[in-house]
Structures are given as structure tokens and as C-alpha cells.
Amino acid sequence: MVSCGNPEVEQDALMTRRPKFDKSKECVKCKINTGNIVIRHAVYCKECFFSLVSTKFRRSLEPSVNPDPDQPRRKALKASGNLLLACSGGLGSTVLLDLVQRSYFSNHPEPNRDNSKLRGGKDHPRNAAVWKKAAVCYVEPCSAFPGMIDRTEDVRRFVDKYSKFQFIPLRVEDAFSNDWWVRTGGESIPTDLGMNFANEDLLLSSLNDNIKLSPASRLQRYIASLPTKTAIPTAIQNLTRLLLLHTAKAMDSSHLLLGTSLTSLSISLISSIAQGGGFVVKEEVQEQWVPMPSAIPGDQKHPVLRIIRPLRDIGIKECAIWAWWNGIVVPGREEYPVGRQSISILTKDFIMGLERDFPSTVSTIARTCGKLSPKGGTDGVCILCGRPVQRHIQVWKAQISMRSLSGTTNQPQLPGSLTPHLCYPCHTTLTSRSSRGTTVKSEESDLVPLPVWVNSRLYQLDESWGQVKMSGNDMRDSIADFLLEE
């Protein structure tokens, strides 16, 4: 053992420096070259590093490419639809776009290029397109927070370097735009609905038609009505996710790829569980989304959309080195100005500290959460986030929640309530109160607008969801059978 005495008197008193490498400086894979990077105490050279990242990327993506997962994929990969990549402008999504380009689109035959040099010829299965069409979708969130920088053009210039991909710019306020909803194949909504944050029932009612709000104003009212700082980034994340899903459905995509690295995945898993999303922890890793049936006559049935995170085995350090050695300029993304006290920000600081001091722990979080499975069945999907709803979750929450100090707990749900259609984390996001207290007004003028897919689904359910003000003629017609003739 090493003594910890006085270093001025005893020569052996100094603590030995912790070795940077576990064994040697040689690459653990090729055993020849000197290492250039250390990944979880393992040394890799530059050539082996590129091979390592590409292998991890393909191993996470290719088992889900073919429509039949059990189909042999050694000779050919062929998806049933198109491909949509989500780009946030951050490190993970930019590295994902580069990997997809290099792996699946660099060898495709082009009309203005000599295709005779393709390996195996232009008709070889390895040179066939895996997806018929590929696009990159960017959702700009600056309208949610005044003062944020619009980075749409920065992302556009970056995506333009990859000519095989179409660029689709969206804005987060499109979630409240009826025009965007119609363009993606949705049915036009006759009347906008709003919810009341006065109590946990989230009562629904029609918004005043005389007040015309822009989609950006609706978004800002929605964000301003959220009860806690934690709810704001969670709500924007849900809106962005649903915008991507419906855009992928509109372009007949079979796969939606997200640039979530191993580090980001661990942050999402812990943050989701802390906010009540333990039942859908498997969906944070990989999920399949089935679009809701449309009420438009003749609308075709859309295939199942697979949401995949191909970088889930690649840490943020590997992504940074890949971008550095390949000369990729990351456009960057703006941080939400919600302070440092939200659960997502605190979780990120904690996981990033683990990544720096104990890198193996971060991968353990993702592997452990990947082994979890939900207990109990489901009651459909959430009308707000589109993820499974745990069976009898509202009954369970009514039993453990204190609604009032003097009232009873078992109260029936009102017919015009949004609560029965929400999953536990979404209901908690909209109704949980800060320890410092939050005042929510209940006047009709303060009704909070709903996203367009929520409005559309409520109309499809054909429920008596709220109170609609009727004109004098409509009221007379409704009771005409009970009036006496004069």
C-alpha cells in the first residue's frame, strides 16, 4: 500500500497517479496501432474507432429495418416505406445524419455519375436503396420563448450538404395550427376546444370564436398555463414528438430515427421515471406508433411507424470525437430558459457528472431500464402524447391523491373532462403544483387551447365533451317537439 504521510519527509508518501489506461496505450482491437481515444477505460486507434461506431450504429438499426424482423437481412435490407430523421441541431442528430448518409446512401446509383465503379455493379442488392425517400425534419421551438434565436436556416444549410435528404422545417406552434393539420392529412376542425386548469378534471369547453389567436399565441398561452418549471420542457418535448410522428405519417414513412445518444437516453429514462413515466419506460428506448384512424372518407390506412434510436449504444464522447475527426460542424441548439430547477435539467447535470467520473455507470442505466417491463394491461393510448395508458390509472390516482380536506375522494368523472383520456405522466404534467403554489384562474377567457390532434380525436370520439353556446334558433329547434302550437 502507498503511505499518505508527509511528502517532504517520506519519498513514498505521494499518492500514485491514477493510470489513464487500464493496460497499455495500444489499441485493444487491432493490437498494432497506438490508441487515440479512451472509451470506458478501453483504448482505440482512429481506424478501429470508426469501425466500432459504425458497427454499433448498424447493430441498433438494421434488425428493425425489414418489415419482418425475423427475415434474413444479410443480403438485402428493404423497408416498407420512407425514412424521416429528426434533427434538433444538436450533436447526436448531426452525427446520426452523417452515419445514415455514409452507411445507406453513399453507394446509390445516380443519373449524373459513373455507376460502373460501384462495388458489385449498380444492380447489386447492396447498392439498392433501403428507403424509397429520405427527409430530415427540424422543429423550431423559438416561438415558445421570446428572445430565443431562430436556427432554422443554420440547420437548413447543414442539411443541404447531404443532397439525398429533403429538408422539412416545422415550428412547434404548428401543433396548434389547423392549416398544418389539414396538410398532414387530418380533418379540418370545426370548433377549437380549450381546457380549464382550475381543477384536476381539466374540464373542456369551446373557445370563443370571436377571439382569433395565432398558433404562436396559442402555444404561448399553453406554455404559460403549465403549473411548474418541470412541465415546460416536458410539454415542448411531447409537442415536438407528435409533430414528428404526424409528419412521418404524412410522408408514408416506416421509420423515424432520433439522434438520442447513450448519454441522452439515460437522461431521458431517469427524467421520465421521476415524472411518473415508468409504465412507458420501454417506449423511451424503442417504440412502434400506430396512427389513429382518420374520419376522412377514403383515407388509406397507414402502416406502423417504428421510432428507433440508433445511437443508443454510443455515448456523447464518441459522438463528439466522430464529429471532430470527420469535420462536422454542429449547428447547435438553444437551451430552454426555464431555470436550473426543473427535473430534466437536474437529471442532465447528474448524468453528465456520472459520464465524466464513472462512464460505465451511464451505460448500466440504459441496460437496466431496457430490461424493465410494465406491470398490468393498457387502456388504449393517451390522447395527448400517443403512448400507452396504464389500466385503471385514474382510479389508482384518485385513491392516493388528496383532492380536498373535507370532501369525498370517489367522485365520478364529468362527461366534459379531458382527464380520462390522459396517461399518468401527461395528467401529472398538466395538474401537478409547485411547492411554492400556483394560481390558476378558472374564467372562460383563460381557457387553454389544445393541440390539433387532441381536438381531432375528441371530435372522433363524439362525446358531450363540453358546453357549447347555442344560438336562439338552435335552442328552439332542439325543443320543437315539446312546444305547443299557438
Side-chain angles (χ1 to χ4, degrees), residues 138-450:
Y138 170 70
V139 181
E140 175 56 53
C142 68
S143 297
F145 306 100
M148 282 187 64
I149 300 176
D150 190 339
R151 293 188 175 270
T152 303
E153 294 305 318
D154 296 338
V155 178
R156 185 193 299 274
R157 286 191 293 268
F158 171 75
V159 176
D160 287 343
K161 299 177 182 178
Y162 302 87
S163 58
K164 301 293 182 63
F165 295 85
Q166 174 191 0
F167 181 63
I168 303 177
L170 295 178
R171 306 185 72 85
V172 70
E173 63 263 29
D174 289 335
F176 300 88
S177 173
N178 191 30
D179 295 337
W180 171 83
W181 180 246
V182 173
R183 288 198 305 268
T184 56
E187 186 180 12
S188 180
I189 302 171
T191 303
D192 292 327
L193 304 180
M195 57 181 170
N196 195 327
F197 276 98
N199 53 58
E200 294 187 355
D201 291 325
L202 299 175
L203 299 181
L204 297 169
S205 182
S206 59
L207 296 176
N208 190 350
D209 295 335
N210 297 326
I211 302 177
K212 298 295 183 181
L213 297 176
S214 64
S217 299
R218 292 172 182 267
L219 169 66
Q220 293 172 4
R221 176 178 288 192
Y222 182 84
I223 296 299
S225 301
L226 295 175
T228 62
K229 295 293 185 181
T230 297
I232 295 177
T234 302
I236 296 179
Q237 182 180 0
N238 284 334
L239 295 177
T240 302
R241 176 178 167 274
L242 266 296
L243 287 170
L244 293 171
L245 292 179
H246 287 286
T247 302
K249 183 198 74 172
M251 62 174 295
D252 295 328
S253 298
S254 58
H255 296 82
L256 171 62
L257 304 187
L258 305 180
T260 306
S261 65
L262 174 63
T263 310
S264 300
L265 178 61
S266 300
I267 296 173
S268 299
L269 290 169
I270 298 299
S271 178
S272 176
I273 294 174
Q275 299 179 62
F279 185 76
V280 293
V281 68
K282 293 183 65 176
E283 279 71 18
E284 288 289 340
V285 180
Q286 184 171 338
E287 60 180 312
Q288 293 187 355
W289 181 67
V290 181
M292 290 291 182
S294 176
I296 301 177
D299 187 23
Q300 62 179 355
K301 183 179 179 181
H302 295 276
V304 175
L305 177 65
R306 295 177 179 174
I307 301 99
I308 306 174
R309 296 162 176 82
L311 305 183
R312 60 178 180 266
D313 293 330
I314 303 173
I316 192 174
K317 180 180 180 180
E318 293 97 302
C319 292
I321 295 298
W322 179 279
W324 174 260
W325 280 344
N326 286 287
I328 301 174
V329 179
V330 180
R333 54 180 297 182
E334 293 288 321
E335 295 289 341
Y336 301 147
V338 295
R340 308 296 302 178
Q341 298 303 316
S342 65
I343 291 179
S344 58
I345 298 298
L346 294 175
T347 304
K348 181 179 179 180
D349 294 341
F350 172 69
I351 297 297
M352 293 301 292
L354 288 179
E355 177 76 17
R356 181 180 61 253
D357 300 330
F358 308 97
S360 299
T361 308
V362 178
S363 60
T364 303
I365 294 173
R367 288 198 305 266
T368 303
C369 292
K371 299 176 183 178
L372 301 177
S373 59
K375 182 180 179 180
T378 62
D379 280 337
V381 296
C382 176
I383 199 173
L384 183 60
C385 70
R387 284 181 169 173
V389 178
Q390 187 176 1
R391 184 170 297 170
H392 307 310
I393 186 62
Q394 296 300 333
V395 176
W396 173 79
K397 186 171 183 178
Q399 294 174 349
I400 67 169
S401 301
M402 181 178 293
R403 306 302 175 93
S404 64
L405 296 176
S406 59
T408 58
T409 57
N410 296 326
Q411 298 180 357
Q413 295 287 351
L414 299 178
S417 172
L418 185 66
T419 297
H421 307 292
L422 297 177
C423 62
Y424 179 77
C426 283
H427 187 257
T428 303
T429 298
L430 298 177
T431 60
S432 61
R433 299 289 179 258
S434 172
S435 60
R436 297 182 179 182
T438 303
T439 302
V440 181
K441 298 181 181 180
S442 59
E443 287 80 0
E444 183 180 358
S445 60
D446 293 325
L447 289 175
V448 180
L450 294 172

Side-chain angles (χ1 to χ4, degrees), residues 11 54-55 65 72 74 103 110 124 129 177 223 347 413 452 456:
Q11 295 182 356
S54 299
T55 301
V65 170
R74 179 172 297 178
S103 302
E110 295 182 359
H124 195 278
S177 173
I223 296 299
T347 304
Q413 295 287 351
V452 287
S456 177

Side-chain angles (χ1 to χ4, degrees), residues 30-77:
C30 67
K31 310 293 185 182
I32 299 175
N33 299 327
T34 303
N36 299 101
I37 182 175
V38 181
I39 303 175
R40 302 183 192 91
H41 307 293
V43 182
Y44 293 92
C45 64
K46 190 172 183 179
E47 292 76 11
C48 293
F49 168 77
F50 287 133
S51 176
L52 173 70
V53 174
S54 299
T55 301
K56 288 183 177 181
F57 164 73
R58 289 178 174 270
R59 187 174 57 197
S60 300
L61 174 59
E62 292 186 354
S64 303
V65 170
N66 290 330
D68 185 5
D70 298 329
Q71 178 183 354
R73 59 182 186 276
R74 179 172 297 178
K75 293 184 178 180
L77 291 171

